[in-house]
Amino acid sequence: MEETISLRELFAVLRKRLWLIVLITIIAATVSGVISFFVLTPVYESKTQILVNQAKNDQQLYNTQTVQTNVQLINTYNDIITSPAILDKVVKELKMDKSAQSLSGQIQVTSAQDSQVAQIVVQDTSAKRAAQIANTTASVFQKQVPKLMNVDNVKVLSKATVGESASPIKPQPLLNIAIAVVVGLMVGIGLSFLLEYLDNTLKTEQDIENILDLPVIGVVTNIKDVPKPTNVSRPDVAARVPQRGETYGS
């Protein structure tokens, strides 16, 4: 016999274990909020822009081939910026207690398609230090490009600055809590259906009708629900044992 589940039954399962779904959701949101606000370290981001544009003399004309060459060079410069040849000097100049490889994990170089402008993006737990790393990396790269590539076509467009009210880019507590709420709801609903699937006990007359496909013609009342008979004594009638020489009528 094929079993089918209606929407009414699904909602009945959810209503039956609503307390479990709400409890799991609240726990997930609380844990996410505590971790976001009190455990995770805030991370700040700072950016600086560089322009790849080869210097031209009076006889050289501005053409699309030159622009395309500069655009293609950006891909090479992206690898050079995060290489030890540049970052070793950045670490030394800033007197940082970390290796070039470790610093490379904090730096990301991005550029728009067919653009001669590249961004050096740095993430750090300190907003001031992130700006210093971004600016120093751009400066060191600009100085080292002529030695490495025999061309002088890099200029710093804008330097990284630290605002008065710098806000971290991560963690984002509200976003984390929202994600935790969604995950908590999914886990709670899934666990509710799992518990309902594993529960094979009969609790109501309707369960018997659904399984046996037979109508219920009678119900045995729980004995605990039947009131117990009470002995009522009459205070005006007292049992009296007759003494010698006495009769019940006297």
Side-chain angles (χ1 to χ4, degrees):
M1 181 176 62
E2 183 180 358
E3 295 184 359
T4 60
I5 300 178
S6 63
L7 290 177
R8 181 177 298 179
E9 293 175 343
L10 294 179
F11 283 115
V13 173
L14 295 179
R15 184 172 62 252
K16 176 182 177 182
R17 304 189 185 276
L18 181 61
W19 64 271
L20 178 63
I21 299 174
V22 174
L23 179 63
I24 293 177
T25 303
I26 292 176
I27 292 176
T30 303
V31 172
S32 176
V34 170
I35 293 176
S36 299
F37 282 106
F38 303 105
V39 177
L40 297 179
T41 303
V43 176
Y44 299 87
E45 185 177 84
S46 192
K47 303 177 182 178
T48 183
Q49 291 181 321
I50 58 175
L51 172 65
V52 179
N53 187 23
Q54 192 170 356
K56 302 173 179 61
N57 51 38
D58 296 339
Q59 288 76 27
Q60 189 176 10
L61 298 177
Y62 187 85
N63 53 60
T64 56
Q65 184 176 0
T66 303
V67 174
Q68 189 64 28
T69 301
N70 291 332
V71 171
Q72 293 175 354
L73 281 174
I74 289 182
N75 295 328
T76 303
Y77 289 166
N78 291 351
D79 296 331
I80 295 177
I81 290 175
T82 56
S83 67
I86 303 298
L87 297 186
D88 280 338
K89 293 179 174 56
V90 174
V91 171
K92 183 177 181 181
E93 186 170 336
L94 294 178
K95 300 179 180 179
M96 303 177 66
D97 186 17
K98 63 174 57 181
S99 63
Q101 183 178 2
S102 177
L103 181 60
S104 176
Q106 301 178 232
I107 300 176
Q108 182 181 7
V109 184
T110 61
S111 60
Q113 186 176 4
D114 298 332
S115 175
Q116 295 179 250
V117 178
Q119 281 189 337
I120 300 177
V121 183
V122 179
Q123 295 183 357
D124 195 88
T125 55
S126 170
K128 181 179 180 180
R129 188 165 56 243
Q132 290 176 344
I133 295 174
N135 292 330
T136 304
T137 302
S139 176
V140 171
F141 175 67
Q142 185 181 18
K143 295 176 183 177
Q144 294 298 316
V145 162
K147 301 177 183 179
L148 298 174
M149 300 289 294
N150 295 324
V151 289
D152 187 8
N153 61 347
V154 175
K155 296 181 180 179
V156 178
L157 280 182
S158 61
K159 293 185 177 181
T161 57
V162 181
E164 295 181 357
S165 58
S167 57
I169 60 168
K170 57 184 180 181
Q172 299 178 350
L174 296 181
L175 178 61
N176 293 343
I177 292 175
I179 295 175
V181 168
V182 175
V183 174
L185 287 174
M186 294 175 61
V187 173
I189 293 174
L191 186 58
S192 298
F193 285 116
L194 178 62
L195 293 177
E196 188 68 21
Y197 175 77
L198 297 177
D199 187 6
N200 57 2
T201 59
L202 301 177
K203 296 182 175 63
T204 63
E205 298 85 358
Q206 187 65 34
D207 294 339
I208 300 176
E209 289 185 358
N210 294 336
I211 294 176
L212 300 180
D213 198 17
L214 294 173
V216 177
I217 61 176
V219 178
V220 178
T221 306
N222 192 344
I223 297 178
K224 294 182 180 180
D225 296 337
V226 178
K228 296 180 179 179
T230 56
N231 296 324
V232 180
S233 59
R234 296 178 58 184
D236 56 336
V237 179
R240 185 170 179 271
V241 178
Q243 301 295 329
R244 179 179 297 180
E246 293 183 348
T247 63
Y248 285 100
S250 60

